[in-house]
């Protein structure tokens, strides 16, 4: 309920996304019950050069089994070929 209230209070940010000037990765679950994949597609389309990755079966969570794939996407975004050690 808090997240829904925050989204409602913020209003539509989509028009402002064209000003984003950094590499952007939009990660979204195809089965997200809170924010539909259509919205993720709109966000990615609004950010210049954004990459959209939709995960089948993923909802509004971060499943453990998808974490390696998500890390790979983030490393690719950062221009790395493998995760940074740390």
């Amino acid at each position: 309920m808090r997240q829904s209230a925050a989204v409602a209070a913020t209003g539509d940010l989509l028009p402002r996304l064209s000003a984003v000037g950094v590499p952007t990765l939009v990660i979204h679950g195809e089965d997200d019950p809170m924010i539909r994949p259509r919205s993720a597609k709109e966000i990615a389309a609004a950010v210049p050069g954004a990459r959209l990755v939709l995960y089948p079966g993923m909802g509004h969570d971060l499943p453990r089994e998808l974490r390696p794939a998500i890390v790979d996407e983030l490393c690719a975004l950062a221009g790395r070929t493998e995760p940074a050690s740390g």
Side-chain angles (χ1 to χ4, degrees):
M1 287 176 27
R2 288 182 301 195
Q3 189 168 3
S4 294
V7 169
T10 303
D12 185 9
L13 298 176
L14 201 61
R16 300 163 92 189
L17 295 179
S18 65
V20 173
V22 296
T24 302
L25 176 63
V26 179
I27 296 173
H28 200 79
E30 288 184 356
D31 296 335
D32 189 329
M34 291 191 66
I35 302 169
R36 302 291 180 206
R38 174 179 49 100
S39 296
K41 292 174 185 174
E42 290 174 354
I43 290 167
V47 176
R51 174 169 161 71
L52 171 65
V53 179
L54 291 172
Y55 288 101
M58 185 170 122
H60 198 77
D61 59 351
L62 187 59
R64 183 175 299 278
E65 62 272 11
L66 289 178
R67 290 177 189 173
I70 292 169
V71 167
D72 288 346
E73 290 290 347
L74 292 168
C75 288
L77 180 73
R80 299 185 183 129
T81 59
E82 59 186 66
S85 60

